[in-house]
Amino acid sequence: MMKKRNIIYLAVMAALFMPAIISCSSKERLYIYNWTYYTPPSVIEKFEQEYDCRVIYDEFASNEDMYAKLKATQGKRGGYDVVFPSKDYVPIMMRQGMLEQIDKSKMFNLGNIDPEVLKIASYDPDMEYSVPYFYGAACVIVNTEKVPYFERSWSIFERDDLKGRMTMLDDMREVLGGALAFLGMSVNTTDPFHIAAARDHINSSWKPNLVKFDAESFGKGYANGDFWVVHGFPEAIYEEIADIPQLFENTVFFIPKEGGPSYIDNMCILKNARNIDLAHKFIDFIHRPDIYAEFVDTFGLPATVNLPARYYKQGVSLYSEDELVITELVEDLGESLELYTNAWFNSIRIGK
């Protein structure tokens, strides 16, 4: 008798919820693959409401991870629609036929993009396959309560008194680029001797003092006090400490005085995307000034790409557009990228 009642109960509940299930499944879906801490949930929710759709949002921690995953499924329908590669990966993905051409006739907000950013977006200045999302740089973040005295330099990672309290990004171009800048070299050098010098400096002077190379949990580790100095993307730290007033007040974000790598992250539509039309709408939606201002305010970032968004912006900026002047954009190095890959995976990343 009990089993029969259960069956009747389940049948009634299924009937009650069937309309909701059908309604949900009938909505258009947009599949996004983006960096961790990079599009506010509030922005996603507004897009879903405005276009009566559902966004499926996955995250990656590095360009290398993103590229490897997409390359493994290239040519197969049913993957992601919109992806956010950095400047140096856009031309690679363009050459390999991984990207759909942007239909600018479907866009209304591209005129909001700063022309100066498009000038340095030499890989795709006419936005044929990519639309700039954010122009920025990783920072060094310091807890000044724990580390009251420091130089705003990459040399902070040489301090053995901070051993076991520091992390650097698990990102080949960011870490090697930082070492190259510190040694007075270009972050895009293809000179094997320069790359070897950067590799050796990291291994001998920085790596012994690090807990680990970390592109995923450094924000939480900093917020809970495990790490006092981290090399990372400031938005990830801001997201974790914005509601911890004392820690936020005691935190300094800086771009090292020697410079270092900077990046332009982009919005691209993948070949064989499930919903190309909705993907265009999403990219255009992001560049509405009020929406772009909401994005950068959520993460404490400057409105580097969208000009009118600067008038809508209300929150703090952890660094300014002007500070990016001392940085150097990471470029696509073609076959020379193998020099960095060998230095990173065959030496630096071993044992840490």
Side-chain angles (χ1 to χ4, degrees):
M1 189 65 174
M2 185 62 71
K3 287 184 180 179
K4 187 174 182 180
R5 285 180 182 172
N6 287 344
I7 291 170
I8 293 171
Y9 172 78
L10 290 172
V12 170
M13 294 303 292
L16 286 172
F17 284 100
M18 186 62 73
I21 293 170
I22 292 172
S23 174
C24 180
S25 63
S26 66
K27 285 188 175 184
E28 287 188 283
R29 297 188 177 201
L30 184 71
Y31 291 80
I32 293 177
Y33 196 29
N34 195 359
W35 294 84
T36 307
Y37 298 108
Y38 218 22
T39 301
S42 60
V43 167
I44 298 295
E45 289 167 9
K46 285 180 179 177
F47 180 77
E48 289 178 324
Q49 291 169 5
E50 189 163 324
Y51 289 96
D52 191 29
C53 66
R54 184 183 173 199
V55 172
I56 314 300
Y57 190 95
D58 287 343
E59 299 174 337
F60 58 84
S62 70
N63 279 298
E64 290 78 17
D65 290 347
M66 173 274 300
Y67 175 76
K69 183 173 182 177
L70 296 181
K71 194 65 180 172
T73 58
Q74 185 177 0
K76 298 178 182 177
R77 193 167 182 83
Y80 297 105
D81 297 305
V82 181
V83 67
F84 288 67
S86 298
K87 175 185 186 292
D88 51 321
Y89 270 78
V90 170
I92 295 173
M93 297 170 76
M94 286 168 58
R95 284 196 305 268
Q96 296 181 2
M98 298 174 71
L99 303 179
E100 184 76 24
Q101 192 159 7
I102 299 290
D103 184 350
K104 285 178 279 190
S105 70
K106 296 181 178 180
M107 306 286 201
F108 302 97
N109 294 310
L110 296 187
N112 296 329
I113 295 174
D114 188 341
E116 294 302 314
V117 172
L118 292 176
K119 280 183 184 178
I120 59 176
S122 56
Y123 53 96
D124 190 18
D126 297 322
M127 296 185 286
E128 292 187 58
Y129 292 92
S130 62
V131 174
Y133 181 65
F134 185 72
Y135 168 39
C139 293
V140 177
I141 300 99
V142 181
N143 182 334
T144 59
E145 184 179 14
K146 303 294 186 182
V147 189
Y149 305 107
F150 60 91
E151 188 177 3
R152 294 185 175 226
S153 164
W154 291 106
S155 63
I156 194 170
F157 293 106
E158 298 177 8
R159 288 180 51 174
D160 55 14
D161 62 312
L162 300 176
K163 185 174 183 177
R165 293 292 187 177
M166 301 192 291
T167 70
M168 295 190 77
L169 280 169
D170 192 0
D171 188 300
M172 174 177 74
R173 296 298 301 275
E174 287 288 346
V175 176
L176 277 163
L180 287 164
F182 179 71
L183 297 173
M185 304 164 186
S186 169
V187 305
N188 297 305
T189 184
T190 57
D191 186 325
F193 294 102
H194 290 177
I195 296 168
R199 175 202 65 203
D200 293 345
H201 187 79
I202 294 165
N203 279 336
S204 63
S205 299
W206 295 357
K207 183 176 171 181
N209 298 322
L210 303 179
V211 178
K212 58 181 174 178
F213 294 105
D214 179 12
E216 296 181 355
S217 61
F218 64 88
K220 293 186 185 303
Y222 182 85
N224 65 29
D226 289 342
F227 313 140
W228 298 347
V229 177
V230 296
H231 167 227
F233 300 111
E235 59 269 23
I237 297 292
Y238 182 76
E239 179 77 359
E240 295 291 342
I241 70 171
D243 295 327
I244 310 175
Q246 184 176 353
L247 181 56
F248 183 74
E249 186 178 334
N250 290 326
T251 296
V252 168
F253 299 78
F254 69 85
I255 294 174
K257 65 181 183 179
E258 299 89 0
S262 55
Y263 57 84
I264 299 176
D265 289 329
N266 305 269
M267 295 179 284
C268 301
I269 301 173
L270 287 168
K271 277 282 188 188
N272 298 310
R274 306 173 193 228
N275 200 328
I276 291 175
D277 185 59
L278 195 59
H280 279 89
K281 289 175 181 175
F282 179 81
I283 294 171
D284 199 49
F285 180 80
I286 289 294
H287 275 297
R288 244 173 48 186
D290 59 319
I291 295 298
Y292 196 86
E294 184 173 343
F295 149 51
V296 292
D297 273 344
T298 299
F299 299 122
L301 298 172
T304 54
V305 170
N306 188 301
L307 278 175
R310 296 173 192 176
Y311 297 98
Y312 286 81
K313 183 173 165 53
Q314 298 178 345
V316 301
S317 292
L318 303 176
Y319 60 88
S320 71
E321 295 92 334
D322 295 339
E323 290 180 76
L324 294 168
V325 172
I326 63 172
T327 66
E328 184 181 2
L329 279 167
V330 172
E331 302 282 356
D332 168 30
L333 301 178
E335 293 182 0
S336 296
L337 185 63
E338 188 175 351
L339 295 169
Y340 288 77
T341 302
N342 287 337
W344 182 250
F345 290 105
N346 295 333
S347 180
I348 296 168
R349 284 299 284 114
I350 294 175
K352 181 66 78 170

PDB file of all heavy atoms in Angstrom, residues 214-236:
ATOM      1  N   ASP A 214      49.896  29.250  -8.434  1.00  0.00           N
ATOM      2  CA  ASP A 214      48.472  29.065  -8.179  1.00  0.00           C
ATOM      3  C   ASP A 214      47.657  30.082  -8.983  1.00  0.00           C
ATOM      4  O   ASP A 214      47.823  31.292  -8.810  1.00  0.00           O
ATOM      5  CB  ASP A 214      48.199  29.247  -6.679  1.00  0.00           C
ATOM      6  CG  ASP A 214      46.743  29.099  -6.301  1.00  0.00           C
ATOM      7  OD1 ASP A 214      45.956  28.626  -7.139  1.00  0.00           O
ATOM      8  OD2 ASP A 214      46.402  29.462  -5.166  1.00  0.00           O
ATOM      9  N   ALA A 215      46.778  29.601  -9.841  1.00  0.00           N
ATOM     10  CA  ALA A 215      45.906  30.483 -10.615  1.00  0.00           C
ATOM     11  C   ALA A 215      44.446  30.329 -10.215  1.00  0.00           C
ATOM     12  O   ALA A 215      43.581  30.957 -10.822  1.00  0.00           O
ATOM     13  CB  ALA A 215      46.064  30.194 -12.112  1.00  0.00           C
ATOM     14  N   GLU A 216      44.164  29.518  -9.190  1.00  0.00           N
ATOM     15  CA  GLU A 216      42.775  29.242  -8.852  1.00  0.00           C
ATOM     16  C   GLU A 216      42.392  29.648  -7.430  1.00  0.00           C
ATOM     17  O   GLU A 216      41.357  30.262  -7.219  1.00  0.00           O
ATOM     18  CB  GLU A 216      42.482  27.748  -9.058  1.00  0.00           C
ATOM     19  CG  GLU A 216      42.608  27.311 -10.506  1.00  0.00           C
ATOM     20  CD  GLU A 216      42.288  25.843 -10.706  1.00  0.00           C
ATOM     21  OE1 GLU A 216      42.061  25.137  -9.707  1.00  0.00           O
ATOM     22  OE2 GLU A 216      42.258  25.404 -11.850  1.00  0.00           O
ATOM     23  N   SER A 217      43.215  29.316  -6.452  1.00  0.00           N
ATOM     24  CA  SER A 217      42.806  29.502  -5.055  1.00  0.00           C
ATOM     25  C   SER A 217      43.582  30.592  -4.327  1.00  0.00           C
ATOM     26  O   SER A 217      43.439  30.739  -3.112  1.00  0.00           O
ATOM     27  CB  SER A 217      42.958  28.182  -4.293  1.00  0.00           C
ATOM     28  OG  SER A 217      44.312  27.749  -4.304  1.00  0.00           O
ATOM     29  N   PHE A 218      44.380  31.375  -5.038  1.00  0.00           N
ATOM     30  CA  PHE A 218      45.196  32.377  -4.350  1.00  0.00           C
ATOM     31  C   PHE A 218      44.333  33.442  -3.662  1.00  0.00           C
ATOM     32  O   PHE A 218      44.709  33.983  -2.627  1.00  0.00           O
ATOM     33  CB  PHE A 218      46.191  33.027  -5.319  1.00  0.00           C
ATOM     34  CG  PHE A 218      45.570  33.828  -6.437  1.00  0.00           C
ATOM     35  CD1 PHE A 218      45.265  35.169  -6.277  1.00  0.00           C
ATOM     36  CD2 PHE A 218      45.312  33.231  -7.660  1.00  0.00           C
ATOM     37  CE1 PHE A 218      44.702  35.905  -7.308  1.00  0.00           C
ATOM     38  CE2 PHE A 218      44.748  33.953  -8.703  1.00  0.00           C
ATOM     39  CZ  PHE A 218      44.431  35.297  -8.514  1.00  0.00           C
ATOM     40  N   GLY A 219      43.152  33.740  -4.239  1.00  0.00           N
ATOM     41  CA  GLY A 219      42.272  34.732  -3.623  1.00  0.00           C
ATOM     42  C   GLY A 219      41.770  34.284  -2.268  1.00  0.00           C
ATOM     43  O   GLY A 219      41.816  35.037  -1.282  1.00  0.00           O
ATOM     44  N   LYS A 220      41.308  33.059  -2.194  1.00  0.00           N
ATOM     45  CA  LYS A 220      40.818  32.515  -0.921  1.00  0.00           C
ATOM     46  C   LYS A 220      41.961  32.371   0.073  1.00  0.00           C
ATOM     47  O   LYS A 220      41.801  32.630   1.270  1.00  0.00           O
ATOM     48  CB  LYS A 220      40.131  31.171  -1.158  1.00  0.00           C
ATOM     49  CG  LYS A 220      38.840  31.273  -1.968  1.00  0.00           C
ATOM     50  CD  LYS A 220      38.133  29.935  -2.058  1.00  0.00           C
ATOM     51  CE  LYS A 220      36.922  30.012  -2.963  1.00  0.00           C
ATOM     52  NZ  LYS A 220      35.936  31.039  -2.551  1.00  0.00           N
ATOM     53  N   GLY A 221      43.128  31.932  -0.416  1.00  0.00           N
ATOM     54  CA  GLY A 221      44.284  31.779   0.466  1.00  0.00           C
ATOM     55  C   GLY A 221      44.737  33.104   1.046  1.00  0.00           C
ATOM     56  O   GLY A 221      45.148  33.178   2.212  1.00  0.00           O
ATOM     57  N   TYR A 222      44.652  34.160   0.232  1.00  0.00           N
ATOM     58  CA  TYR A 222      45.007  35.492   0.726  1.00  0.00           C
ATOM     59  C   TYR A 222      43.972  35.966   1.751  1.00  0.00           C
ATOM     60  O   TYR A 222      44.321  36.496   2.807  1.00  0.00           O
ATOM     61  CB  TYR A 222      45.091  36.482  -0.430  1.00  0.00           C
ATOM     62  CG  TYR A 222      45.490  37.873  -0.003  1.00  0.00           C
ATOM     63  CD1 TYR A 222      46.829  38.222   0.147  1.00  0.00           C
ATOM     64  CD2 TYR A 222      44.532  38.844   0.268  1.00  0.00           C
ATOM     65  CE1 TYR A 222      47.202  39.495   0.561  1.00  0.00           C
ATOM     66  CE2 TYR A 222      44.884  40.112   0.686  1.00  0.00           C
ATOM     67  CZ  TYR A 222      46.223  40.436   0.825  1.00  0.00           C
ATOM     68  OH  TYR A 222      46.585  41.698   1.245  1.00  0.00           O
ATOM     69  N   ALA A 223      42.697  35.746   1.446  1.00  0.00           N
ATOM     70  CA  ALA A 223      41.624  36.223   2.322  1.00  0.00           C
ATOM     71  C   ALA A 223      41.659  35.541   3.683  1.00  0.00           C
ATOM     72  O   ALA A 223      41.358  36.171   4.714  1.00  0.00           O
ATOM     73  CB  ALA A 223      40.268  36.002   1.655  1.00  0.00           C
ATOM     74  N   ASN A 224      42.035  34.263   3.726  1.00  0.00           N
ATOM     75  CA  ASN A 224      42.032  33.572   5.027  1.00  0.00           C
ATOM     76  C   ASN A 224      43.375  33.674   5.758  1.00  0.00           C
ATOM     77  O   ASN A 224      43.543  33.092   6.841  1.00  0.00           O
ATOM     78  CB  ASN A 224      41.600  32.105   4.874  1.00  0.00           C
ATOM     79  CG  ASN A 224      42.577  31.270   4.059  1.00  0.00           C
ATOM     80  OD1 ASN A 224      43.775  31.532   4.031  1.00  0.00           O
ATOM     81  ND2 ASN A 224      42.059  30.246   3.380  1.00  0.00           N
ATOM     82  N   GLY A 225      44.322  34.410   5.181  1.00  0.00           N
ATOM     83  CA  GLY A 225      45.576  34.683   5.876  1.00  0.00           C
ATOM     84  C   GLY A 225      46.690  33.696   5.636  1.00  0.00           C
ATOM     85  O   GLY A 225      47.786  33.851   6.193  1.00  0.00           O
ATOM     86  N   ASP A 226      46.461  32.691   4.793  1.00  0.00           N
ATOM     87  CA  ASP A 226      47.529  31.734   4.506  1.00  0.00           C
ATOM     88  C   ASP A 226      48.666  32.405   3.738  1.00  0.00           C
ATOM     89  O   ASP A 226      49.843  32.097   3.957  1.00  0.00           O
ATOM     90  CB  ASP A 226      46.982  30.564   3.675  1.00  0.00           C
ATOM     91  CG  ASP A 226      46.078  29.651   4.479  1.00  0.00           C
ATOM     92  OD1 ASP A 226      46.137  29.711   5.719  1.00  0.00           O
ATOM     93  OD2 ASP A 226      45.309  28.887   3.867  1.00  0.00           O
ATOM     94  N   PHE A 227      48.326  33.312   2.822  1.00  0.00           N
ATOM     95  CA  PHE A 227      49.315  33.990   1.992  1.00  0.00           C
ATOM     96  C   PHE A 227      49.321  35.484   2.327  1.00  0.00           C
ATOM     97  O   PHE A 227      48.263  36.088   2.512  1.00  0.00           O
ATOM     98  CB  PHE A 227      48.995  33.809   0.502  1.00  0.00           C
ATOM     99  CG  PHE A 227      48.678  32.388   0.103  1.00  0.00           C
ATOM    100  CD1 PHE A 227      47.661  32.129  -0.805  1.00  0.00           C
ATOM    101  CD2 PHE A 227      49.383  31.318   0.626  1.00  0.00           C
ATOM    102  CE1 PHE A 227      47.355  30.827  -1.187  1.00  0.00           C
ATOM    103  CE2 PHE A 227      49.089  30.010   0.261  1.00  0.00           C
ATOM    104  CZ  PHE A 227      48.062  29.774  -0.651  1.00  0.00           C
ATOM    105  N   TRP A 228      50.512  36.057   2.365  1.00  0.00           N
ATOM    106  CA  TRP A 228      50.650  37.482   2.658  1.00  0.00           C
ATOM    107  C   TRP A 228      51.010  38.291   1.418  1.00  0.00           C
ATOM    108  O   TRP A 228      50.738  39.486   1.360  1.00  0.00           O
ATOM    109  CB  TRP A 228      51.744  37.697   3.699  1.00  0.00           C
ATOM    110  CG  TRP A 228      51.471  37.038   5.018  1.00  0.00           C
ATOM    111  CD1 TRP A 228      50.283  36.502   5.464  1.00  0.00           C
ATOM    112  CD2 TRP A 228      52.408  36.843   6.076  1.00  0.00           C
ATOM    113  NE1 TRP A 228      50.416  35.984   6.716  1.00  0.00           N
ATOM    114  CE2 TRP A 228      51.718  36.180   7.136  1.00  0.00           C
ATOM    115  CE3 TRP A 228      53.752  37.162   6.260  1.00  0.00           C
ATOM    116  CZ2 TRP A 228      52.343  35.840   8.338  1.00  0.00           C
ATOM    117  CZ3 TRP A 228      54.376  36.817   7.446  1.00  0.00           C
ATOM    118  CH2 TRP A 228      53.679  36.165   8.476  1.00  0.00           C
ATOM    119  N   VAL A 229      51.629  37.642   0.455  1.00  0.00           N
ATOM    120  CA  VAL A 229      51.989  38.291  -0.812  1.00  0.00           C
ATOM    121  C   VAL A 229      51.590  37.352  -1.935  1.00  0.00           C
ATOM    122  O   VAL A 229      51.995  36.184  -1.932  1.00  0.00           O
ATOM    123  CB  VAL A 229      53.510  38.569  -0.891  1.00  0.00           C
ATOM    124  CG1 VAL A 229      53.867  39.188  -2.252  1.00  0.00           C
ATOM    125  CG2 VAL A 229      53.967  39.477   0.242  1.00  0.00           C
ATOM    126  N   VAL A 230      50.787  37.849  -2.870  1.00  0.00           N
ATOM    127  CA  VAL A 230      50.416  37.009  -4.005  1.00  0.00           C
ATOM    128  C   VAL A 230      50.564  37.787  -5.303  1.00  0.00           C
ATOM    129  O   VAL A 230      50.379  39.006  -5.349  1.00  0.00           O
ATOM    130  CB  VAL A 230      48.969  36.460  -3.894  1.00  0.00           C
ATOM    131  CG1 VAL A 230      48.826  35.544  -2.694  1.00  0.00           C
ATOM    132  CG2 VAL A 230      47.942  37.578  -3.838  1.00  0.00           C
ATOM    133  N   HIS A 231      50.911  37.061  -6.314  1.00  0.00           N
ATOM    134  CA  HIS A 231      50.933  37.578  -7.684  1.00  0.00           C
ATOM    135  C   HIS A 231      49.670  37.048  -8.335  1.00  0.00           C
ATOM    136  O   HIS A 231      49.476  35.837  -8.413  1.00  0.00           O
ATOM    137  CB  HIS A 231      52.193  37.047  -8.386  1.00  0.00           C
ATOM    138  CG  HIS A 231      52.209  37.226  -9.867  1.00  0.00           C
ATOM    139  ND1 HIS A 231      52.559  36.202 -10.732  1.00  0.00           N
ATOM    140  CD2 HIS A 231      51.948  38.295 -10.654  1.00  0.00           C
ATOM    141  CE1 HIS A 231      52.525  36.638 -11.968  1.00  0.00           C
ATOM    142  NE2 HIS A 231      52.143  37.900 -11.953  1.00  0.00           N
ATOM    143  N   GLY A 232      48.791  37.955  -8.742  1.00  0.00           N
ATOM    144  CA  GLY A 232      47.535  37.466  -9.290  1.00  0.00           C
ATOM    145  C   GLY A 232      46.694  38.562  -9.895  1.00  0.00           C
ATOM    146  O   GLY A 232      47.077  39.739  -9.929  1.00  0.00           O
ATOM    147  N   PHE A 233      45.544  38.174 -10.377  1.00  0.00           N
ATOM    148  CA  PHE A 233      44.613  39.121 -10.974  1.00  0.00           C
ATOM    149  C   PHE A 233      43.841  39.803  -9.853  1.00  0.00           C
ATOM    150  O   PHE A 233      43.231  39.142  -9.005  1.00  0.00           O
ATOM    151  CB  PHE A 233      43.691  38.407 -11.952  1.00  0.00           C
ATOM    152  CG  PHE A 233      44.453  37.740 -13.071  1.00  0.00           C
ATOM    153  CD1 PHE A 233      44.515  36.360 -13.162  1.00  0.00           C
ATOM    154  CD2 PHE A 233      45.140  38.496 -14.005  1.00  0.00           C
ATOM    155  CE1 PHE A 233      45.236  35.744 -14.175  1.00  0.00           C
ATOM    156  CE2 PHE A 233      45.866  37.891 -15.021  1.00  0.00           C
ATOM    157  CZ  PHE A 233      45.911  36.512 -15.108  1.00  0.00           C
ATOM    158  N   PRO A 234      43.871  41.128  -9.807  1.00  0.00           N
ATOM    159  CA  PRO A 234      43.321  41.855  -8.653  1.00  0.00           C
ATOM    160  C   PRO A 234      41.838  41.603  -8.418  1.00  0.00           C
ATOM    161  O   PRO A 234      41.379  41.621  -7.277  1.00  0.00           O
ATOM    162  CB  PRO A 234      43.598  43.324  -8.990  1.00  0.00           C
ATOM    163  CG  PRO A 234      43.854  43.365 -10.454  1.00  0.00           C
ATOM    164  CD  PRO A 234      44.454  42.042 -10.807  1.00  0.00           C
ATOM    165  N   GLU A 235      41.090  41.334  -9.502  1.00  0.00           N
ATOM    166  CA  GLU A 235      39.659  41.107  -9.324  1.00  0.00           C
ATOM    167  C   GLU A 235      39.377  39.877  -8.460  1.00  0.00           C
ATOM    168  O   GLU A 235      38.386  39.825  -7.725  1.00  0.00           O
ATOM    169  CB  GLU A 235      38.955  40.977 -10.678  1.00  0.00           C
ATOM    170  CG  GLU A 235      39.435  39.868 -11.573  1.00  0.00           C
ATOM    171  CD  GLU A 235      40.555  40.277 -12.518  1.00  0.00           C
ATOM    172  OE1 GLU A 235      41.269  41.274 -12.217  1.00  0.00           O
ATOM    173  OE2 GLU A 235      40.734  39.610 -13.549  1.00  0.00           O
ATOM    174  N   ALA A 236      40.258  38.872  -8.549  1.00  0.00           N
ATOM    175  CA  ALA A 236      40.069  37.659  -7.751  1.00  0.00           C
ATOM    176  C   ALA A 236      40.266  37.947  -6.266  1.00  0.00           C
ATOM    177  O   ALA A 236      39.552  37.402  -5.412  1.00  0.00           O
ATOM    178  CB  ALA A 236      41.032  36.571  -8.207  1.00  0.00           C
TER     179      ALA A 236
END
